[in-house]
Amino acid sequence: QVQLVESGGGLVQAGGSLRLSCAASGRTLSSYAMGWFRQARGKEREFVAAISWNGGFASTADSVKGRFTVSRDNAKNTVYLQMNSLKTEDTAVYYCAAHRQAYSLGRIRALSEYAYWGQGTQVTVSS
């Protein structure tokens, strides 16, 4: 059973930065694409960023492009989301997830393509 644990969330002022981490246990994730999603209160969960199993390909949502960067360290079985120039609209619970299929980038932005999810970490950006 794969377990994903996010950390690094918190309260930050607009314009500030945070780095989220997602540590995996139970299985090595070096063969799987990993994604970051977020869910603001009263809204649906949405795609933020994803990265291929070897880090050679990354995709980010238009709303965070140029501000957020996804990366991974397979030796540590950990994925990161560096968030810069944070805005109040970035306030949400952030989740990491592991793609359901090894060595696949299929529909990498779709929630339904991810089989394992973390419990989420709260990010609050104040004005």
Side-chain angles (χ1 to χ4, degrees), residues 18-35:
L18 283 174
R19 188 176 83 154
L20 305 184
S21 299
C22 172
S25 61
R27 182 202 292 182
T28 179
L29 293 179
S30 59
S31 304
Y32 295 84
M34 297 292 293

Side-chain angles (χ1 to χ4, degrees), residues 14-111:
S17 298
L18 283 174
R19 188 176 83 154
L20 305 184
S21 299
C22 172
S25 61
R27 182 202 292 182
T28 179
L29 293 179
S30 59
S31 304
Y32 295 84
M34 297 292 293
W36 285 97
F37 296 80
R38 68 185 181 186
Q39 187 167 18
R41 186 172 298 180
K43 295 188 177 181
E44 294 186 352
R45 194 170 298 189
E46 64 176 4
F47 170 79
V48 175
I51 188 167
S52 63
W53 54 93
N54 61 359
F57 173 81
S59 176
T60 52
D62 289 345
S63 59
V64 304
K65 194 162 292 183
R67 300 188 297 121
F68 290 13
T69 303
V70 58
S71 62
R72 66 190 299 161
D73 184 340
N74 285 340
K76 296 182 179 179
N77 225 20
T78 301
V79 181
Y80 305 97
L81 183 67
Q82 178 67 44
M83 306 186 296
N84 299 327
S85 302
L86 283 160
K87 304 176 180 181
T88 55
E89 52 262 44
D90 295 319
T91 295
V93 178
Y94 283 72
Y95 300 89
C96 70
H99 200 277
R100 63 179 181 84
Q101 187 173 353
Y103 302 113
S104 173
L105 293 173
R107 300 182 68 231
I108 200 170
R109 296 185 172 211
L111 275 73

